[in-house]
Amino acid sequence: MIKPDYPSVLLIYTGGTIGMIENPATGALEAFNFDQLQENVPELKRFNYRISSYQFTPPIDSSDMEPALWAKLVKIIQYNYENFDGFVILHGTDTMAYTASALSFMLENLSKPVILTGSQLPIGVLRTDGKENLITSIEIAAAKYPDGRAVVPEVCIFFENLLLRGNRTTKINAENFNAFRSFNYPPLATAGIHIKYEYDRIRKANPDIPMHPHFVFDTNVIILTIFPGIQENIVSNVLNTPGLKAVVLKTYGSGNAPQKPWFIRLLKEATERGIVIVNISQCPTGMVEMARYETGLHLLDAGVISGYDSTVESVLTKLMFLLGHGLTPQQIRNEMHRPIAGEFTRAEL
Ligand code: ASP
């Protein structure tokens, strides 16, 4: 029998491969409902935990994820916050890193675990990776110190054997079970025979400060990747898009870009119009250091700010989050230099 003080976890099923079955007629993967998911993981009943569930109806492929659904997830967590020790979100892998990043900003003063997981193979398939991902995520979401504090009070992604900080994570593989990496921050835990927590890497929370949920986003943003041969008319059209408020500029190496005068002029004009431009490297590992090469210095002069070692997913969602709060471009630039939820390693320009 489950005692009332036993760990409690809310499972939120949004969709994704983990809960899909093959349509015999078309061969395509389609979502099925949560009861079927539970039938396929009878191990869930062996947990001595209180596990409740909430299901998105209909479940979605995560390619259809959007800020309104992030707000829905935050509402579900807010509504159930006092009643559960932790939350596990079953989510498609394709946009999981965006959702994890967005939630890390939206759940201010989080003191409970929010663990996103999914799978590469549907849970009904014999070789599925979904069962282990789900079971270990539940265990992590329920892990507490003897005084009742959560071991991992963060938004994380658990996949294959790694627990990663959500806003540091990127999907890197569409084939292997080991689909996610956090290139610039080490794992918070590794799951083998035991779940080995790296306590000093995990964010410290203060459960006495109430969790403060946020719901607003402004999606007038774009990711602009530079490449040899990029054309002036195209960059000009992107930067002059009506309503555009922020750009994630994906540059080379340690944050370098072409020195062509038209390129620097277009960026400068855009920042002067109040568009916030954040420099992120196309290299997944390492830090933007614009003062290192002349090609980066031009960007600094044009008003471009550093994204340090952030992921694209985290910079994009943070910009949408800050813009949603109606901050001025200068306030947004200041906030982009300050980690809100451990999303980048602070370094000098
Ligand atoms: N297309 C699926 C999704 O992201 C892939 C997955 O779940 O792994 O929803």
Side-chain angles (χ1 to χ4, degrees), residues 15-18 20 60-63 91-95 119-120 171:
T17 297
I18 192 162
M20 289 187 173
I60 58 155
D61 185 290
S62 77
S63 305
H91 194 291
T93 55
D94 291 345
T95 61
S119 66
Q120 295 283 58
K171 182 174 178 182

Side-chain angles (χ1 to χ4, degrees), residues 4-10 49-50 80-88 110-114 138 140-144 148-153:
D5 61 344
Y6 266 36
S8 53
V9 173
L10 180 65
Y49 297 171
R50 176 166 61 85
N80 292 286
Y81 198 68
E82 295 310 324
N83 294 329
F84 291 91
D85 293 318
F87 302 84
V88 172
L110 183 68
S111 61
K112 299 192 176 188
V114 174
I138 291 175
I140 293 168
K144 285 192 277 187
R149 283 179 304 118
V151 174
V152 190

